[in-house]
Amino acid sequence: MKHRLDPLLRPRSVAVVGASSRAGSMGKWSLLNLERGGFAGTIYPVNPGYEDIRGLRCYPGLSSLPETPDLAIFAVGDHRLEQSLDAAIEKNIPAAVLMSSLVLDDDTEPALKLRVQQKINAAGMLVCGANGMGFYNIRDKVWACGFDSRLHTPPGNATLISHSGSGMSGIVDCEQRLQFNLAVSAGNELSVTMDQYLDFALELPETKVVGLFVETARNPQGFRDALLKAAAKRIPIVALKVGRTARAAALTVSHSGAMAGDDATYAALFDYYGVHRVADMDELATAMIVFAAMHPIGPGGLATLHDSGGERQLIVDLAEQTGVPLPELTADTVSRLKGVLDPELPPVNPLDGWSRGGPGARQQMTDCLSLLMQDEGIALGAVMHDRAPEGVVYPSYIRYMEAAHEASGKPVALVAARQGSGYDEQVEEATHRGFPVLDGVSPFLKSVAALMNHRDYRAPAVEKQIPIDPAVVEQWSERLANSGPLDEADSLQMLRDFGLPTSRGVIVEGENALLETAKSLRAPLALKTAMPGLLHKSDHAGVHLSLEDLATLQSAYHDLADRLGPRVLVSEMAPAGIDMILGARRDPQFGPVVVLGFGGTLAEVLSDVAFALPPFDADYALRRLAALKLRPLLDGVRGGPAVDIRGFAEMAARFSAMVNVLENVVQEIDVNPVIVGSASCLAVDALVVGRLPTYE
């Protein structure tokens, strides 16, 4: 199948500019890698200092080539790069690999990087890099890299795309349990961005998993489109996102905006498209191995077999931390295990199957694992055994897995607490056959959680979105354009116009107007300062609550008027409940991201919130809320009533629909708190900030 990146990733001919026979040079490795990868097209070494290299005729310059190659690999220093690039553009070469950093000590303005990018863009050239390590299209036998690597066997089933060169080579060069079809060091992405490589990989028939080492998304919409394509094809994406910055928080005025920073946006993005996020390179490699090697999983949880009581206890602790279920066994499985186990060993999951040893011990372990795996509540299994001396894997461990898979049809892995410095060729061989041999309990469990999340992933049901009156959208779009912050009364009015429930309140100025207004409201009342510029009233002691009579109302007013000014908002108190928060911030790359979770005055301290891309429905909101640490509070504690969590989820869905239609005119929204009671949800405070040009 043809792809727009074919001239770059599947060239028919390649010129190596700066080709060399000097040991260890980029020019030598660029030529050697094409040969090692089995490139079947024409190779043109280009270097005026040679007549031939490695049996190939060497040309003095690109202009002297007998044809226009599809791809030019530049193995030259930055001081020669621009001139060489000009020659490639003059030759109409459609694609190039730039591995240098594009930095000159004696550079002029504009700098070399900008000059090169302008020339590339003007020529419409497809470029991998700069400041990267090229790529390995192993399945099509194009190794366009100027550095040494291990041998790779095509076609492979794993793809790795990395903004970091070391992030690519650290796994591709060293992790032989993974068989790659494509690995790309995208570098600075002067013309081709990560999403385009991802789109290419998703079209390869062998691709079973894609790993991403992400610094940023230089083409945000393209990135979303590629992730959507992966979700539609059910191809798992494992992502390591680096650079959890506070850049966005520094520009915000609301609690929600401060929490919904750059990293929160990626958390929302990845959850929306079912991307499996990892924390480091170990987790990235392990998750890729698990997805690439293991057989598909069905419903159920994890069963583990141990030969150590202590490590059995460890798996219980770590599984709880990672949210991996270790199901109880059925009565039938328990009964069958009792017929196999030594009497002193309990027939439970996780199972310690080794007690007395002896000549029948290995068969006993094999039978135990097979019985565990046949339990209807088990989706996959793991033999949790440490390596033998010098890193060897006992062949009996492999046989445990093979027998259990044959008996159940379910996937199983061998996991050691850690590898150590030893090595065993069985590790690769078994992994490539679908029985992965892994090291590290925590990375394995996080990979199992990713497997289960991938199995259970359902895209947000956007077709269930709440209809919104176009007249309301037009009214508030005009009101918010270049408005900056709205006061609380206007913010709450906007929410009401979009169908969100809010407390009743009136802005007044002066004691007489306050007392007259209070007669039409139901006590207890809340009184808040409404002076312009005081966006966070609690920070200024600008809120009085539970005012039961006119005397306490007057006293509260005198306090606010004397300290902060005469303009106040008086409103009815919401029924008792739990403080929650709804918020939004417009991310400069991906647009609006919604915040939902526990609120109140400690919202930023607790930070027990989830993030979501709008629009979404109530079911998706409930799923995001389920991950919160304080989620059990909503079900009632110590005899207290449960709150209307479904009502809050429906309110969040309506809020997300509003945020979505106002994305071009809203910078931030903070609805805090939303009082969620047993039968109601009520927004009692809000701050809406219109989008201003100075925010970006």
Side-chain angles (χ1 to χ4, degrees):
M1 182 176 180
K2 290 186 177 180
H3 194 278
R4 68 176 299 269
L5 296 187
D6 280 355
L8 175 64
L9 300 180
R10 282 195 282 238
R12 294 163 298 179
S13 54
V14 178
V16 178
V17 182
S20 173
S21 60
R22 180 168 54 86
S25 67
M26 186 182 295
K28 181 173 182 177
W29 273 112
S30 295
L31 274 179
L32 185 58
N33 278 332
L34 289 169
E35 295 177 8
R36 294 173 78 217
F39 182 64
T42 305
I43 302 174
Y44 296 108
V46 177
N47 190 327
Y50 295 88
E51 292 187 1
D52 64 83
I53 303 177
R54 301 188 64 81
L56 297 172
R57 178 184 173 185
C58 192
Y59 294 83
L62 289 171
S63 61
S64 61
L65 297 182
E67 64 169 335
T68 297
D70 290 333
L71 175 67
I73 299 174
F74 289 93
V76 297
D78 285 328
H79 63 287
R80 293 176 50 201
L81 189 281
E82 188 170 14
Q83 182 180 4
S84 298
L85 178 65
D86 288 340
I89 293 173
E90 179 68 23
K91 188 74 173 176
N92 293 317
I93 297 175
V97 173
L98 303 183
M99 291 172 279
S100 58
S101 61
L102 302 184
V103 176
L104 296 175
D105 292 336
D106 55 349
D107 205 357
T108 58
E109 292 295 332
L112 176 62
K113 180 181 176 181
L114 181 57
R115 299 197 303 271
V116 166
Q117 182 151 30
Q118 290 172 341
K119 291 179 179 183
I120 287 169
N121 292 343
M125 180 179 279
L126 300 172
V127 172
C128 179
N131 195 30
M133 298 181 69
F135 66 85
Y136 297 93
N137 182 354
I138 293 159
R139 60 101 58 196
D140 292 312
K141 302 181 179 181
V142 184
W143 295 18
C145 180
F147 305 89
D148 57 330
S149 181
R150 67 179 175 93
L151 291 175
H152 303 275
T153 303
N157 64 359
T159 293
L160 179 62
I161 307 166
S162 174
H163 285 133
S164 164
S166 296
M168 179 191 77
S169 63
I171 293 178
V172 171
D173 295 344
C174 306
E175 185 47 82
Q176 297 186 178
R177 284 170 289 191
L178 279 168
Q179 295 174 299
F180 290 95
N181 59 357
L182 176 68
V184 180
S185 169
N188 293 338
E189 299 180 311
L190 296 185
S191 73
V192 180
T193 48
M194 176 173 281
D195 55 284
Q196 297 175 64
Y197 296 118
L198 176 54
D199 184 83
F200 182 92
L202 295 173
E203 293 295 332
L204 301 180
E206 307 86 5
T207 302
K208 195 173 178 183
V209 62
V210 179
L212 303 177
F213 189 117
V214 186
E215 293 175 356
T216 188
R218 294 184 175 89
N219 180 17
Q221 187 56 54
F223 195 51
R224 291 187 68 161
D225 291 343
L227 295 181
L228 178 63
K229 184 173 183 175
K233 285 177 167 280
R234 300 292 296 174
I235 296 176
I237 306 294
V238 182
L240 172 59
K241 172 66 177 72
V242 297
R244 302 186 177 201
T245 72
R247 175 177 59 85
L251 301 176
T252 60
V253 297
S254 71
H255 298 294
S256 300
M259 289 186 288
D262 299 344
D263 194 65
T265 302
Y266 279 93
L269 178 79
F270 291 160
D271 185 85
Y272 196 90
Y273 293 107
V275 175
H276 311 287
R277 189 171 189 178
V278 295
D280 56 34
M281 298 281 283
D282 277 342
E283 291 184 9
L284 177 62
T286 301
M288 290 184 68
I289 293 168
V290 166
F291 276 113
M294 293 194 84
H295 304 279
I297 66 168
L302 172 68
T304 60
L305 176 69
H306 302 259
D307 58 3
S308 163
E311 290 190 358
R312 175 177 168 271
Q313 291 174 292
L314 177 63
I315 197 76
V316 172
D317 294 339
L318 295 178
E320 182 176 353
Q321 292 176 19
T322 52
V324 172
L326 299 170
E328 292 187 11
L329 303 175
T330 64
D332 180 62
T333 303
V334 170
S335 176
R336 296 172 72 187
L337 281 171
K338 285 181 178 178
V340 175
L341 286 167
D342 295 327
E344 64 272 18
L345 295 174
V348 296
N349 178 35
L351 178 66
D352 181 359
W354 188 281
S355 177
R356 304 177 187 181
R362 287 181 172 80
Q363 185 60 49
Q364 177 175 301
M365 294 291 277
T366 302
D367 293 342
C368 284
L369 183 62
S370 294
L371 290 173
L372 282 175
M373 297 289 289
Q374 292 176 72
D375 190 281
E376 63 185 27
I378 302 305
L380 74 163
V383 179
M384 311 295 288
H385 288 356
D386 292 319
R387 299 281 189 96
E390 299 181 353
V392 170
V393 174
Y394 288 127
S396 59
Y397 297 173
I398 307 295
R399 290 196 290 270
Y400 297 169
M401 296 194 290
E402 292 171 337
H405 175 67
E406 183 177 355
S408 67
K410 299 173 185 177
V412 59
L414 173 61
V415 184
R418 62 185 309 273
Q419 176 184 346
S421 57
Y423 175 74
D424 190 328
E425 290 183 358
Q426 289 183 98
V427 171
E428 295 172 45
E429 187 273 335
T431 300
H432 296 165
R433 288 195 295 112
F435 299 99
V437 180
L438 303 165
D439 305 286
V441 177
S442 290
F444 168 70
L445 287 173
K446 291 178 181 178
S447 299
V448 171
L451 268 180
M452 293 178 175
N453 289 336
H454 184 71
R455 174 195 64 193
D456 300 335
Y457 171 75
R458 297 292 181 272
V462 295
E463 69 274 4
K464 297 180 181 179
Q465 289 309 305
I466 300 164
I468 295 178
D469 185 351
V472 173
V473 177
E474 182 179 2
Q475 171 194 346
W476 283 101
S477 294
E478 293 177 358
R479 174 73 174 81
L480 288 166
N482 299 318
S483 69
L486 304 183
D487 63 26
E488 182 179 344
D490 285 346
S491 296
L492 289 171
Q493 184 60 54
M494 188 185 90
L495 298 183
R496 283 193 292 273
D497 287 350
F498 279 92
L500 278 76
T502 72
S503 59
R504 293 178 57 203
V506 181
I507 286 185
V508 297
E509 190 164 347
E511 184 175 345
N512 292 335
L514 171 65
L515 297 178
E516 187 64 28
T517 299
K519 295 176 183 178
S520 64
L521 300 176
R522 183 180 66 254
L525 300 178
L527 192 68
K528 310 173 187 178
T529 181
M531 294 300 294
L534 298 181
L535 301 180
H536 298 295
K537 294 172 280 295
S538 297
D539 294 347
H540 301 277
V543 180
H544 289 274
L545 303 176
S546 301
L547 306 175
E548 297 283 356
D549 51 47
L550 292 180
T552 56
L553 181 66
Q554 284 178 297
S555 176
Y557 178 75
H558 291 156
D559 171 63
L560 296 180
D562 292 345
R563 289 189 300 107
L564 303 174
R567 191 170 185 264
V568 296
L569 174 71
V570 58
S571 60
E572 296 176 353
M573 290 282 292
I578 293 179
D579 288 359
M580 303 293 285
I581 188 172
L582 286 173
R585 168 185 170 266
R586 187 182 185 279
D587 183 84
Q589 286 189 303
F590 294 103
V593 57
V594 170
V595 182
L596 62 163
F598 287 87
T601 56
L602 297 178
E604 288 185 59
V605 176
L606 291 174
S607 292
D608 195 12
V609 294
F611 306 96
L613 296 185
F616 51 80
D617 63 3
D619 289 339
Y620 184 73
L622 285 172
R623 186 169 74 77
R624 297 299 287 136
L625 292 168
L628 301 182
K629 295 185 289 290
L630 299 179
R631 170 63 181 83
L633 288 178
L634 304 177
D635 296 324
V637 293
R638 295 183 178 272
V643 302
D644 186 12
I645 182 60
R646 179 75 193 188
F648 179 70
E650 291 172 352
M651 184 177 180
R654 183 175 289 276
F655 178 82
S656 80
M658 176 190 73
V659 169
N660 188 59
V661 297
L662 295 177
E663 67 167 305
N664 292 325
V665 291
V666 166
Q667 184 66 27
E668 299 172 51
I669 303 178
D670 198 45
V671 186
N672 182 30
V674 177
I675 307 297
V676 183
S678 58
S680 66
C681 299
L682 209 61
V684 299
D685 198 352
L687 169 63
V688 177
V689 182
R691 188 178 173 196
L692 293 175
T694 54
Y695 275 77
E696 299 205 7

